[in-house]
């Protein structure tokens, strides 16, 4: 079965950086688009960034220039490098598997999440 295990969340000061990882198993990772999504109190689940199998990447406007999504198909791992973090980036971050190779907006499975808290 599909397993997605996120790690790397932490408490960080504004302006700091974090690198999230998502270890995938139970499916052919290289065949599917992947996303990072975020759960915040009062806002629900929101899309953060996505990457297709052809390497095409997309970002929520508020994250552009600060976040970088990447994937290592040899290691079955998805990454999210987050720089210049802001308090509004706080939330539980999940990696999500798409049912498509190109459309990262179709979330089929999610991991258990990793908490990111940005606060001074």
């Amino acid at each position: 079965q599909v397993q997605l295990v996120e790690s790397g969340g932490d408490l960080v000061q504004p302006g700091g950086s974090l690198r999230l990882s998502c270890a995938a198993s139970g499916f052919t990772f290289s065949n599917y688009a992947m996303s990072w999504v975020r759960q915040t109190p009062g806002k629900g689940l929101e899309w953060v960034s996505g990457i297709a199998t052809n390497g095409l990447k997309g970002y929520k406007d508020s994250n552009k220039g600060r976040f970088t999504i990447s994937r290592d198909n040899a290691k079955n791992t998805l990454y999210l490098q987050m720089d210049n973090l802001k308090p509004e980036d706080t939330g539980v971050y999940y990696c999500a598997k798409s049912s498509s190779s190109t459309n990262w907006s179709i979330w089929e499975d999610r991991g258990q999440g990793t908490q990111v808290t940005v606060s001074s």
Side-chain angles (χ1 to χ4, degrees), residues 5-7 19-23 34-38 46-51 58 63 67-70 77-82 93-96 104 107 113-114:
V5 180
E6 302 92 339
S7 61
R19 188 194 197 204
L20 305 184
S21 299
C22 171
M34 299 291 295
S35 280
W36 286 98
V37 300
R38 176 172 66 203
E46 60 176 352
W47 175 74
V48 172
S49 181
I51 184 167
N63 303 331
F67 291 6
T68 304
I69 190 171
S70 61
T77 303
L78 179 73
Y79 302 100
L80 185 68
Q81 176 67 41
M82 304 189 293
Y93 283 70
Y94 302 89
C95 71
W104 51 64
W107 308 330
T114 187

PDB file of all heavy atoms in Angstrom, residues 5-7 19-23 34-38 46-51 58 63 67-70 77-82 93-96 104 107 113-114:
ATOM      1  N   VAL A   5       5.895   9.231   4.286  1.00  0.00           N
ATOM      2  CA  VAL A   5       6.358   9.578   5.627  1.00  0.00           C
ATOM      3  C   VAL A   5       7.142  10.876   5.566  1.00  0.00           C
ATOM      4  O   VAL A   5       8.257  10.924   5.018  1.00  0.00           O
ATOM      5  CB  VAL A   5       7.222   8.454   6.216  1.00  0.00           C
ATOM      6  CG1 VAL A   5       7.686   8.838   7.622  1.00  0.00           C
ATOM      7  CG2 VAL A   5       6.453   7.135   6.250  1.00  0.00           C
ATOM      8  N   GLU A   6       6.560  11.934   6.137  1.00  0.00           N
ATOM      9  CA  GLU A   6       7.191  13.248   6.145  1.00  0.00           C
ATOM     10  C   GLU A   6       8.101  13.402   7.349  1.00  0.00           C
ATOM     11  O   GLU A   6       7.871  12.797   8.405  1.00  0.00           O
ATOM     12  CB  GLU A   6       6.140  14.368   6.181  1.00  0.00           C
ATOM     13  CG  GLU A   6       5.160  14.361   5.035  1.00  0.00           C
ATOM     14  CD  GLU A   6       3.902  13.566   5.326  1.00  0.00           C
ATOM     15  OE1 GLU A   6       3.931  12.702   6.232  1.00  0.00           O
ATOM     16  OE2 GLU A   6       2.875  13.814   4.670  1.00  0.00           O
ATOM     17  N   SER A   7       9.107  14.244   7.191  1.00  0.00           N
ATOM     18  CA  SER A   7      10.009  14.574   8.290  1.00  0.00           C
ATOM     19  C   SER A   7      10.624  15.938   8.021  1.00  0.00           C
ATOM     20  O   SER A   7      10.539  16.456   6.909  1.00  0.00           O
ATOM     21  CB  SER A   7      11.095  13.508   8.452  1.00  0.00           C
ATOM     22  OG  SER A   7      11.880  13.424   7.282  1.00  0.00           O
ATOM     23  N   ARG A  19      14.171  22.160   5.688  1.00  0.00           N
ATOM     24  CA  ARG A  19      14.042  21.262   4.542  1.00  0.00           C
ATOM     25  C   ARG A  19      13.188  20.084   4.946  1.00  0.00           C
ATOM     26  O   ARG A  19      13.556  19.319   5.839  1.00  0.00           O
ATOM     27  CB  ARG A  19      15.413  20.777   4.074  1.00  0.00           C
ATOM     28  CG  ARG A  19      15.356  19.995   2.772  1.00  0.00           C
ATOM     29  CD  ARG A  19      16.649  19.248   2.536  1.00  0.00           C
ATOM     30  NE  ARG A  19      16.806  18.827   1.155  1.00  0.00           N
ATOM     31  CZ  ARG A  19      17.577  17.810   0.778  1.00  0.00           C
ATOM     32  NH1 ARG A  19      18.267  17.124   1.674  1.00  0.00           N
ATOM     33  NH2 ARG A  19      17.674  17.493  -0.506  1.00  0.00           N
ATOM     34  N   LEU A  20      12.031  19.972   4.316  1.00  0.00           N
ATOM     35  CA  LEU A  20      11.144  18.845   4.569  1.00  0.00           C
ATOM     36  C   LEU A  20      11.449  17.714   3.596  1.00  0.00           C
ATOM     37  O   LEU A  20      11.823  17.957   2.448  1.00  0.00           O
ATOM     38  CB  LEU A  20       9.684  19.275   4.401  1.00  0.00           C
ATOM     39  CG  LEU A  20       9.220  20.468   5.222  1.00  0.00           C
ATOM     40  CD1 LEU A  20       7.720  20.693   5.009  1.00  0.00           C
ATOM     41  CD2 LEU A  20       9.540  20.306   6.689  1.00  0.00           C
ATOM     42  N   SER A  21      11.279  16.489   4.084  1.00  0.00           N
ATOM     43  CA  SER A  21      11.460  15.312   3.240  1.00  0.00           C
ATOM     44  C   SER A  21      10.222  14.434   3.332  1.00  0.00           C
ATOM     45  O   SER A  21       9.518  14.432   4.349  1.00  0.00           O
ATOM     46  CB  SER A  21      12.674  14.498   3.699  1.00  0.00           C
ATOM     47  OG  SER A  21      13.865  15.241   3.609  1.00  0.00           O
ATOM     48  N   CYS A  22       9.970  13.689   2.278  1.00  0.00           N
ATOM     49  CA  CYS A  22       8.862  12.741   2.258  1.00  0.00           C
ATOM     50  C   CYS A  22       9.364  11.459   1.619  1.00  0.00           C
ATOM     51  O   CYS A  22       9.674  11.441   0.422  1.00  0.00           O
ATOM     52  CB  CYS A  22       7.687  13.304   1.478  1.00  0.00           C
ATOM     53  SG  CYS A  22       6.359  12.103   1.179  1.00  0.00           S
ATOM     54  N   ALA A  23       9.442  10.404   2.414  1.00  0.00           N
ATOM     55  CA  ALA A  23       9.867   9.105   1.913  1.00  0.00           C
ATOM     56  C   ALA A  23       8.644   8.341   1.429  1.00  0.00           C
ATOM     57  O   ALA A  23       7.688   8.135   2.188  1.00  0.00           O
ATOM     58  CB  ALA A  23      10.582   8.331   3.005  1.00  0.00           C
ATOM     59  N   MET A  34       3.613  14.862  -7.549  1.00  0.00           N
ATOM     60  CA  MET A  34       3.547  14.956  -6.085  1.00  0.00           C
ATOM     61  C   MET A  34       3.351  16.406  -5.676  1.00  0.00           C
ATOM     62  O   MET A  34       3.724  17.330  -6.400  1.00  0.00           O
ATOM     63  CB  MET A  34       4.841  14.428  -5.455  1.00  0.00           C
ATOM     64  CG  MET A  34       5.164  12.972  -5.748  1.00  0.00           C
ATOM     65  SD  MET A  34       4.050  11.805  -4.965  1.00  0.00           S
ATOM     66  CE  MET A  34       4.409  12.098  -3.228  1.00  0.00           C
ATOM     67  N   SER A  35       2.788  16.578  -4.503  1.00  0.00           N
ATOM     68  CA  SER A  35       2.565  17.924  -3.970  1.00  0.00           C
ATOM     69  C   SER A  35       2.933  17.988  -2.497  1.00  0.00           C
ATOM     70  O   SER A  35       2.987  16.972  -1.813  1.00  0.00           O
ATOM     71  CB  SER A  35       1.088  18.314  -4.089  1.00  0.00           C
ATOM     72  OG  SER A  35       0.751  18.736  -5.374  1.00  0.00           O
ATOM     73  N   TRP A  36       3.172  19.192  -2.050  1.00  0.00           N
ATOM     74  CA  TRP A  36       3.176  19.520  -0.626  1.00  0.00           C
ATOM     75  C   TRP A  36       1.911  20.334  -0.387  1.00  0.00           C
ATOM     76  O   TRP A  36       1.620  21.279  -1.144  1.00  0.00           O
ATOM     77  CB  TRP A  36       4.400  20.314  -0.236  1.00  0.00           C
ATOM     78  CG  TRP A  36       5.656  19.501  -0.190  1.00  0.00           C
ATOM     79  CD1 TRP A  36       6.611  19.404  -1.159  1.00  0.00           C
ATOM     80  CD2 TRP A  36       6.094  18.654   0.897  1.00  0.00           C
ATOM     81  NE1 TRP A  36       7.607  18.542  -0.757  1.00  0.00           N
ATOM     82  CE2 TRP A  36       7.327  18.076   0.507  1.00  0.00           C
ATOM     83  CE3 TRP A  36       5.582  18.341   2.148  1.00  0.00           C
ATOM     84  CZ2 TRP A  36       8.044  17.205   1.318  1.00  0.00           C
ATOM     85  CZ3 TRP A  36       6.287  17.467   2.957  1.00  0.00           C
ATOM     86  CH2 TRP A  36       7.505  16.909   2.547  1.00  0.00           C
ATOM     87  N   VAL A  37       1.188  19.955   0.671  1.00  0.00           N
ATOM     88  CA  VAL A  37       0.002  20.687   1.073  1.00  0.00           C
ATOM     89  C   VAL A  37       0.134  21.007   2.552  1.00  0.00           C
ATOM     90  O   VAL A  37       0.897  20.360   3.277  1.00  0.00           O
ATOM     91  CB  VAL A  37      -1.286  19.884   0.780  1.00  0.00           C
ATOM     92  CG1 VAL A  37      -1.396  19.598  -0.711  1.00  0.00           C
ATOM     93  CG2 VAL A  37      -1.341  18.592   1.571  1.00  0.00           C
ATOM     94  N   ARG A  38      -0.613  22.004   3.001  1.00  0.00           N
ATOM     95  CA  ARG A  38      -0.460  22.503   4.368  1.00  0.00           C
ATOM     96  C   ARG A  38      -1.829  22.640   5.028  1.00  0.00           C
ATOM     97  O   ARG A  38      -2.791  23.099   4.408  1.00  0.00           O
ATOM     98  CB  ARG A  38       0.234  23.869   4.307  1.00  0.00           C
ATOM     99  CG  ARG A  38       0.394  24.577   5.633  1.00  0.00           C
ATOM    100  CD  ARG A  38       1.267  25.809   5.442  1.00  0.00           C
ATOM    101  NE  ARG A  38       0.636  26.825   4.607  1.00  0.00           N
ATOM    102  CZ  ARG A  38       1.305  27.748   3.935  1.00  0.00           C
ATOM    103  NH1 ARG A  38       2.617  27.768   3.958  1.00  0.00           N
ATOM    104  NH2 ARG A  38       0.654  28.654   3.223  1.00  0.00           N
ATOM    105  N   GLU A  46      -4.462  23.562   2.248  1.00  0.00           N
ATOM    106  CA  GLU A  46      -4.129  24.379   1.082  1.00  0.00           C
ATOM    107  C   GLU A  46      -2.893  23.857   0.391  1.00  0.00           C
ATOM    108  O   GLU A  46      -1.963  23.364   1.037  1.00  0.00           O
ATOM    109  CB  GLU A  46      -3.930  25.842   1.479  1.00  0.00           C
ATOM    110  CG  GLU A  46      -2.822  26.093   2.478  1.00  0.00           C
ATOM    111  CD  GLU A  46      -2.613  27.590   2.755  1.00  0.00           C
ATOM    112  OE1 GLU A  46      -3.216  28.427   2.071  1.00  0.00           O
ATOM    113  OE2 GLU A  46      -1.819  27.897   3.668  1.00  0.00           O
ATOM    114  N   TRP A  47      -2.883  23.982  -0.905  1.00  0.00           N
ATOM    115  CA  TRP A  47      -1.770  23.527  -1.717  1.00  0.00           C
ATOM    116  C   TRP A  47      -0.597  24.485  -1.556  1.00  0.00           C
ATOM    117  O   TRP A  47      -0.765  25.705  -1.525  1.00  0.00           O
ATOM    118  CB  TRP A  47      -2.207  23.467  -3.179  1.00  0.00           C
ATOM    119  CG  TRP A  47      -1.142  23.119  -4.145  1.00  0.00           C
ATOM    120  CD1 TRP A  47      -0.579  21.896  -4.362  1.00  0.00           C
ATOM    121  CD2 TRP A  47      -0.496  24.019  -5.061  1.00  0.00           C
ATOM    122  NE1 TRP A  47       0.377  21.982  -5.348  1.00  0.00           N
ATOM    123  CE2 TRP A  47       0.442  23.273  -5.793  1.00  0.00           C
ATOM    124  CE3 TRP A  47      -0.624  25.378  -5.325  1.00  0.00           C
ATOM    125  CZ2 TRP A  47       1.244  23.832  -6.778  1.00  0.00           C
ATOM    126  CZ3 TRP A  47       0.178  25.939  -6.305  1.00  0.00           C
ATOM    127  CH2 TRP A  47       1.098  25.170  -7.023  1.00  0.00           C
ATOM    128  N   VAL A  48       0.602  23.929  -1.459  1.00  0.00           N
ATOM    129  CA  VAL A  48       1.817  24.719  -1.277  1.00  0.00           C
ATOM    130  C   VAL A  48       2.673  24.702  -2.540  1.00  0.00           C
ATOM    131  O   VAL A  48       3.117  25.740  -3.033  1.00  0.00           O
ATOM    132  CB  VAL A  48       2.630  24.185  -0.081  1.00  0.00           C
ATOM    133  CG1 VAL A  48       3.981  24.866   0.016  1.00  0.00           C
ATOM    134  CG2 VAL A  48       1.840  24.353   1.218  1.00  0.00           C
ATOM    135  N   SER A  49       2.907  23.493  -3.057  1.00  0.00           N
ATOM    136  CA  SER A  49       3.788  23.345  -4.220  1.00  0.00           C
ATOM    137  C   SER A  49       3.567  21.977  -4.840  1.00  0.00           C
ATOM    138  O   SER A  49       3.134  21.041  -4.154  1.00  0.00           O
ATOM    139  CB  SER A  49       5.252  23.497  -3.782  1.00  0.00           C
ATOM    140  OG  SER A  49       6.130  23.386  -4.878  1.00  0.00           O
ATOM    141  N   GLY A  50       3.866  21.850  -6.123  1.00  0.00           N
ATOM    142  CA  GLY A  50       3.720  20.570  -6.810  1.00  0.00           C
ATOM    143  C   GLY A  50       4.813  20.351  -7.822  1.00  0.00           C
ATOM    144  O   GLY A  50       5.439  21.306  -8.311  1.00  0.00           O
ATOM    145  N   ILE A  51       5.079  19.083  -8.126  1.00  0.00           N
ATOM    146  CA  ILE A  51       6.081  18.741  -9.122  1.00  0.00           C
ATOM    147  C   ILE A  51       5.585  17.554  -9.935  1.00  0.00           C
ATOM    148  O   ILE A  51       5.109  16.556  -9.390  1.00  0.00           O
ATOM    149  CB  ILE A  51       7.452  18.449  -8.454  1.00  0.00           C
ATOM    150  CG1 ILE A  51       8.531  18.175  -9.497  1.00  0.00           C
ATOM    151  CG2 ILE A  51       7.358  17.297  -7.450  1.00  0.00           C
ATOM    152  CD1 ILE A  51       9.949  18.189  -8.924  1.00  0.00           C
ATOM    153  N   GLY A  58       5.337  23.869  -9.647  1.00  0.00           N
ATOM    154  CA  GLY A  58       4.395  24.959  -9.413  1.00  0.00           C
ATOM    155  C   GLY A  58       4.405  25.344  -7.948  1.00  0.00           C
ATOM    156  O   GLY A  58       4.689  24.513  -7.076  1.00  0.00           O
ATOM    157  N   ASN A  63       4.524  31.668  -1.915  1.00  0.00           N
ATOM    158  CA  ASN A  63       5.738  30.895  -1.640  1.00  0.00           C
ATOM    159  C   ASN A  63       6.813  31.079  -2.715  1.00  0.00           C
ATOM    160  O   ASN A  63       7.960  30.651  -2.508  1.00  0.00           O
ATOM    161  CB  ASN A  63       5.405  29.404  -1.569  1.00  0.00           C
ATOM    162  CG  ASN A  63       4.354  29.098  -0.528  1.00  0.00           C
ATOM    163  OD1 ASN A  63       4.240  29.806   0.460  1.00  0.00           O
ATOM    164  ND2 ASN A  63       3.582  28.053  -0.764  1.00  0.00           N
ATOM    165  N   PHE A  67      10.318  29.026  -1.515  1.00  0.00           N
ATOM    166  CA  PHE A  67      10.242  27.565  -1.413  1.00  0.00           C
ATOM    167  C   PHE A  67      10.755  26.928  -2.698  1.00  0.00           C
ATOM    168  O   PHE A  67      10.548  27.468  -3.790  1.00  0.00           O
ATOM    169  CB  PHE A  67       8.811  27.106  -1.175  1.00  0.00           C
ATOM    170  CG  PHE A  67       8.235  27.449   0.164  1.00  0.00           C
ATOM    171  CD1 PHE A  67       8.921  28.244   1.074  1.00  0.00           C
ATOM    172  CD2 PHE A  67       6.977  26.973   0.526  1.00  0.00           C
ATOM    173  CE1 PHE A  67       8.375  28.554   2.313  1.00  0.00           C
ATOM    174  CE2 PHE A  67       6.418  27.273   1.758  1.00  0.00           C
ATOM    175  CZ  PHE A  67       7.124  28.060   2.649  1.00  0.00           C
ATOM    176  N   THR A  68      11.401  25.774  -2.568  1.00  0.00           N
ATOM    177  CA  THR A  68      11.847  25.010  -3.734  1.00  0.00           C
ATOM    178  C   THR A  68      11.470  23.552  -3.541  1.00  0.00           C
ATOM    179  O   THR A  68      11.892  22.923  -2.565  1.00  0.00           O
ATOM    180  CB  THR A  68      13.370  25.115  -3.923  1.00  0.00           C
ATOM    181  OG1 THR A  68      13.743  26.485  -4.028  1.00  0.00           O
ATOM    182  CG2 THR A  68      13.801  24.371  -5.177  1.00  0.00           C
ATOM    183  N   ILE A  69      10.682  23.030  -4.453  1.00  0.00           N
ATOM    184  CA  ILE A  69      10.300  21.625  -4.412  1.00  0.00           C
ATOM    185  C   ILE A  69      11.235  20.835  -5.319  1.00  0.00           C
ATOM    186  O   ILE A  69      11.689  21.334  -6.364  1.00  0.00           O
ATOM    187  CB  ILE A  69       8.829  21.431  -4.848  1.00  0.00           C
ATOM    188  CG1 ILE A  69       8.341  20.011  -4.567  1.00  0.00           C
ATOM    189  CG2 ILE A  69       8.626  21.800  -6.313  1.00  0.00           C
ATOM    190  CD1 ILE A  69       6.843  19.816  -4.767  1.00  0.00           C
ATOM    191  N   SER A  70      11.554  19.615  -4.900  1.00  0.00           N
ATOM    192  CA  SER A  70      12.386  18.757  -5.733  1.00  0.00           C
ATOM    193  C   SER A  70      12.056  17.297  -5.421  1.00  0.00           C
ATOM    194  O   SER A  70      11.388  17.011  -4.428  1.00  0.00           O
ATOM    195  CB  SER A  70      13.878  19.030  -5.506  1.00  0.00           C
ATOM    196  OG  SER A  70      14.241  18.769  -4.163  1.00  0.00           O
ATOM    197  N   THR A  77      12.038   9.946  -2.886  1.00  0.00           N
ATOM    198  CA  THR A  77      11.898  10.983  -1.870  1.00  0.00           C
ATOM    199  C   THR A  77      11.537  12.321  -2.505  1.00  0.00           C
ATOM    200  O   THR A  77      12.101  12.708  -3.530  1.00  0.00           O
ATOM    201  CB  THR A  77      13.183  11.114  -1.040  1.00  0.00           C
ATOM    202  OG1 THR A  77      13.496   9.852  -0.448  1.00  0.00           O
ATOM    203  CG2 THR A  77      13.015  12.136   0.070  1.00  0.00           C
ATOM    204  N   LEU A  78      10.608  12.995  -1.847  1.00  0.00           N
ATOM    205  CA  LEU A  78      10.180  14.340  -2.224  1.00  0.00           C
ATOM    206  C   LEU A  78      10.718  15.318  -1.180  1.00  0.00           C
ATOM    207  O   LEU A  78      10.757  14.992   0.016  1.00  0.00           O
ATOM    208  CB  LEU A  78       8.653  14.409  -2.259  1.00  0.00           C
ATOM    209  CG  LEU A  78       7.999  15.727  -2.618  1.00  0.00           C
ATOM    210  CD1 LEU A  78       8.169  16.012  -4.112  1.00  0.00           C
ATOM    211  CD2 LEU A  78       6.526  15.706  -2.241  1.00  0.00           C
ATOM    212  N   TYR A  79      11.132  16.491  -1.643  1.00  0.00           N
ATOM    213  CA  TYR A  79      11.702  17.499  -0.741  1.00  0.00           C
ATOM    214  C   TYR A  79      10.980  18.824  -0.889  1.00  0.00           C
ATOM    215  O   TYR A  79      10.407  19.131  -1.937  1.00  0.00           O
ATOM    216  CB  TYR A  79      13.179  17.718  -1.033  1.00  0.00           C
ATOM    217  CG  TYR A  79      14.040  16.487  -0.926  1.00  0.00           C
ATOM    218  CD1 TYR A  79      14.427  15.777  -2.065  1.00  0.00           C
ATOM    219  CD2 TYR A  79      14.481  16.033   0.306  1.00  0.00           C
ATOM    220  CE1 TYR A  79      15.223  14.646  -1.971  1.00  0.00           C
ATOM    221  CE2 TYR A  79      15.274  14.899   0.413  1.00  0.00           C
ATOM    222  CZ  TYR A  79      15.645  14.207  -0.739  1.00  0.00           C
ATOM    223  OH  TYR A  79      16.428  13.082  -0.643  1.00  0.00           O
ATOM    224  N   LEU A  80      11.053  19.630   0.184  1.00  0.00           N
ATOM    225  CA  LEU A  80      10.613  21.021   0.113  1.00  0.00           C
ATOM    226  C   LEU A  80      11.619  21.848   0.913  1.00  0.00           C
ATOM    227  O   LEU A  80      11.685  21.734   2.141  1.00  0.00           O
ATOM    228  CB  LEU A  80       9.208  21.212   0.662  1.00  0.00           C
ATOM    229  CG  LEU A  80       8.652  22.629   0.516  1.00  0.00           C
ATOM    230  CD1 LEU A  80       8.406  22.954  -0.969  1.00  0.00           C
ATOM    231  CD2 LEU A  80       7.362  22.814   1.313  1.00  0.00           C
ATOM    232  N   GLN A  81      12.406  22.634   0.197  1.00  0.00           N
ATOM    233  CA  GLN A  81      13.322  23.566   0.841  1.00  0.00           C
ATOM    234  C   GLN A  81      12.565  24.870   1.080  1.00  0.00           C
ATOM    235  O   GLN A  81      12.035  25.467   0.133  1.00  0.00           O
ATOM    236  CB  GLN A  81      14.552  23.819  -0.050  1.00  0.00           C
ATOM    237  CG  GLN A  81      15.515  24.849   0.493  1.00  0.00           C
ATOM    238  CD  GLN A  81      16.215  24.401   1.764  1.00  0.00           C
ATOM    239  OE1 GLN A  81      16.612  23.238   1.876  1.00  0.00           O
ATOM    240  NE2 GLN A  81      16.381  25.296   2.718  1.00  0.00           N
ATOM    241  N   MET A  82      12.504  25.293   2.329  1.00  0.00           N
ATOM    242  CA  MET A  82      11.751  26.497   2.689  1.00  0.00           C
ATOM    243  C   MET A  82      12.721  27.506   3.283  1.00  0.00           C
ATOM    244  O   MET A  82      13.350  27.232   4.318  1.00  0.00           O
ATOM    245  CB  MET A  82      10.654  26.154   3.689  1.00  0.00           C
ATOM    246  CG  MET A  82       9.702  25.075   3.195  1.00  0.00           C
ATOM    247  SD  MET A  82       8.274  24.848   4.259  1.00  0.00           S
ATOM    248  CE  MET A  82       9.060  24.198   5.720  1.00  0.00           C
ATOM    249  N   TYR A  93       2.520  20.156   7.488  1.00  0.00           N
ATOM    250  CA  TYR A  93       2.835  19.962   6.077  1.00  0.00           C
ATOM    251  C   TYR A  93       2.729  18.480   5.729  1.00  0.00           C
ATOM    252  O   TYR A  93       3.305  17.630   6.415  1.00  0.00           O
ATOM    253  CB  TYR A  93       4.231  20.483   5.759  1.00  0.00           C
ATOM    254  CG  TYR A  93       4.282  21.994   5.660  1.00  0.00           C
ATOM    255  CD1 TYR A  93       4.132  22.782   6.800  1.00  0.00           C
ATOM    256  CD2 TYR A  93       4.462  22.630   4.432  1.00  0.00           C
ATOM    257  CE1 TYR A  93       4.156  24.162   6.716  1.00  0.00           C
ATOM    258  CE2 TYR A  93       4.495  24.007   4.330  1.00  0.00           C
ATOM    259  CZ  TYR A  93       4.334  24.762   5.483  1.00  0.00           C
ATOM    260  OH  TYR A  93       4.366  26.139   5.403  1.00  0.00           O
ATOM    261  N   TYR A  94       2.000  18.209   4.663  1.00  0.00           N
ATOM    262  CA  TYR A  94       1.819  16.848   4.185  1.00  0.00           C
ATOM    263  C   TYR A  94       2.354  16.731   2.771  1.00  0.00           C
ATOM    264  O   TYR A  94       2.203  17.659   1.962  1.00  0.00           O
ATOM    265  CB  TYR A  94       0.342  16.485   4.127  1.00  0.00           C
ATOM    266  CG  TYR A  94      -0.417  16.584   5.417  1.00  0.00           C
ATOM    267  CD1 TYR A  94      -1.025  17.773   5.804  1.00  0.00           C
ATOM    268  CD2 TYR A  94      -0.563  15.477   6.242  1.00  0.00           C
ATOM    269  CE1 TYR A  94      -1.742  17.862   6.983  1.00  0.00           C
ATOM    270  CE2 TYR A  94      -1.285  15.552   7.419  1.00  0.00           C
ATOM    271  CZ  TYR A  94      -1.869  16.747   7.780  1.00  0.00           C
ATOM    272  OH  TYR A  94      -2.586  16.815   8.954  1.00  0.00           O
ATOM    273  N   CYS A  95       2.938  15.582   2.444  1.00  0.00           N
ATOM    274  CA  CYS A  95       3.162  15.310   1.033  1.00  0.00           C
ATOM    275  C   CYS A  95       1.969  14.506   0.522  1.00  0.00           C
ATOM    276  O   CYS A  95       1.360  13.726   1.261  1.00  0.00           O
ATOM    277  CB  CYS A  95       4.490  14.614   0.762  1.00  0.00           C
ATOM    278  SG  CYS A  95       4.622  12.918   1.264  1.00  0.00           S
ATOM    279  N   ALA A  96       1.612  14.756  -0.720  1.00  0.00           N
ATOM    280  CA  ALA A  96       0.432  14.148  -1.308  1.00  0.00           C
ATOM    281  C   ALA A  96       0.761  13.559  -2.674  1.00  0.00           C
ATOM    282  O   ALA A  96       1.421  14.205  -3.493  1.00  0.00           O
ATOM    283  CB  ALA A  96      -0.676  15.188  -1.446  1.00  0.00           C
ATOM    284  N   TRP A 104      -0.664  17.785 -10.495  1.00  0.00           N
ATOM    285  CA  TRP A 104      -0.376  17.604  -9.064  1.00  0.00           C
ATOM    286  C   TRP A 104      -1.544  18.002  -8.175  1.00  0.00           C
ATOM    287  O   TRP A 104      -1.474  17.889  -6.956  1.00  0.00           O
ATOM    288  CB  TRP A 104       0.877  18.393  -8.672  1.00  0.00           C
ATOM    289  CG  TRP A 104       0.861  19.833  -9.097  1.00  0.00           C
ATOM    290  CD1 TRP A 104      -0.001  20.807  -8.686  1.00  0.00           C
ATOM    291  CD2 TRP A 104       1.746  20.455 -10.042  1.00  0.00           C
ATOM    292  NE1 TRP A 104       0.309  21.980  -9.309  1.00  0.00           N
ATOM    293  CE2 TRP A 104       1.365  21.812 -10.145  1.00  0.00           C
ATOM    294  CE3 TRP A 104       2.823  19.996 -10.802  1.00  0.00           C
ATOM    295  CZ2 TRP A 104       2.034  22.715 -10.978  1.00  0.00           C
ATOM    296  CZ3 TRP A 104       3.482  20.886 -11.616  1.00  0.00           C
ATOM    297  CH2 TRP A 104       3.083  22.234 -11.705  1.00  0.00           C
ATOM    298  N   TRP A 107      -5.101  15.006  -5.396  1.00  0.00           N
ATOM    299  CA  TRP A 107      -4.450  14.372  -4.238  1.00  0.00           C
ATOM    300  C   TRP A 107      -5.144  13.058  -3.935  1.00  0.00           C
ATOM    301  O   TRP A 107      -6.324  13.048  -3.563  1.00  0.00           O
ATOM    302  CB  TRP A 107      -4.496  15.293  -3.020  1.00  0.00           C
ATOM    303  CG  TRP A 107      -3.978  16.664  -3.310  1.00  0.00           C
ATOM    304  CD1 TRP A 107      -3.025  17.019  -4.221  1.00  0.00           C
ATOM    305  CD2 TRP A 107      -4.382  17.881  -2.676  1.00  0.00           C
ATOM    306  NE1 TRP A 107      -2.824  18.372  -4.195  1.00  0.00           N
ATOM    307  CE2 TRP A 107      -3.635  18.923  -3.264  1.00  0.00           C
ATOM    308  CE3 TRP A 107      -5.308  18.190  -1.678  1.00  0.00           C
ATOM    309  CZ2 TRP A 107      -3.770  20.252  -2.870  1.00  0.00           C
ATOM    310  CZ3 TRP A 107      -5.444  19.504  -1.288  1.00  0.00           C
ATOM    311  CH2 TRP A 107      -4.684  20.516  -1.879  1.00  0.00           C
ATOM    312  N   GLY A 113       1.994  13.865   8.065  1.00  0.00           N
ATOM    313  CA  GLY A 113       2.303  15.271   8.267  1.00  0.00           C
ATOM    314  C   GLY A 113       3.478  15.525   9.194  1.00  0.00           C
ATOM    315  O   GLY A 113       3.859  14.685  10.009  1.00  0.00           O
ATOM    316  N   THR A 114       4.060  16.714   9.041  1.00  0.00           N
ATOM    317  CA  THR A 114       5.136  17.166   9.913  1.00  0.00           C
ATOM    318  C   THR A 114       4.869  18.619  10.279  1.00  0.00           C
ATOM    319  O   THR A 114       4.501  19.422   9.424  1.00  0.00           O
ATOM    320  CB  THR A 114       6.520  16.984   9.246  1.00  0.00           C
ATOM    321  OG1 THR A 114       7.559  17.287  10.175  1.00  0.00           O
ATOM    322  CG2 THR A 114       6.688  17.822   7.991  1.00  0.00           C
TER     323      THR A 114
END
